[in-house]
Amino acid sequence: METNYYTLKRTDNQLLALTHLSQLLTCFTGFGGLIVPLIIWATQKDNVEGLDIHGKSIINFQLSIVVYSVLSIPLILLFGLGILTFIFIGILAFVMPIINTIKASNGELPSYPLSFNFIS
């Protein structure tokens, strides 16, 4: 007799929201905005419904923020465009996690603009 094991994923919108909100650690501590969501995603993606999609979106967004920040450094020498880019990146990195936290708590899918797909 063959035994089938089914893993049931639980619905946990609070963990999804917390994962999005944990990105703000970078704004307050200087680090952790990539590490904490990565750990939550890696450990819970098989247990929580939708965490795989949310986690990939968060990791892609955080990696995109790093790429944009690194590319902005040489732009500082070009008429100060890098400073404006840094300001835009900072606003985007603060506002988008809050918007997607609200979306996640309502059961909606995340959307991060200008995000590269490093993990698909």
Side-chain angles (χ1 to χ4, degrees), residues 6-18:
Y6 295 101
T7 57
L8 296 175
K9 293 185 177 185
R10 71 181 193 274
T11 302
D12 192 352
N13 289 348
Q14 293 167 339
L15 182 62
L16 295 175
L18 181 67

Side-chain angles (χ1 to χ4, degrees), residues 92-114:
L92 196 66
F94 186 78
V95 171
M96 291 312 298
I98 294 171
I99 290 171
N100 284 303
T101 298
I102 296 167
K103 283 185 171 185
S105 65
N106 292 331
E108 299 174 30
L109 291 176
S111 63
Y112 286 101
L114 306 174

Side-chain angles (χ1 to χ4, degrees), residues 51-96:
L51 187 59
D52 193 38
I53 295 169
H54 286 266
K56 287 177 183 177
S57 296
I58 293 168
I59 302 305
N60 286 332
F61 179 67
Q62 286 297 311
L63 290 174
S64 298
I65 292 294
V66 170
V67 169
Y68 288 130
S69 297
V70 169
L71 292 175
S72 296
I73 293 171
L75 289 176
I76 292 175
L77 301 175
L78 283 164
F79 310 112
L81 290 176
I83 295 172
L84 294 175
T85 308
F86 272 128
I87 292 170
F88 177 72
I89 291 169
I91 292 169
L92 196 66
F94 186 78
V95 171
M96 291 312 298

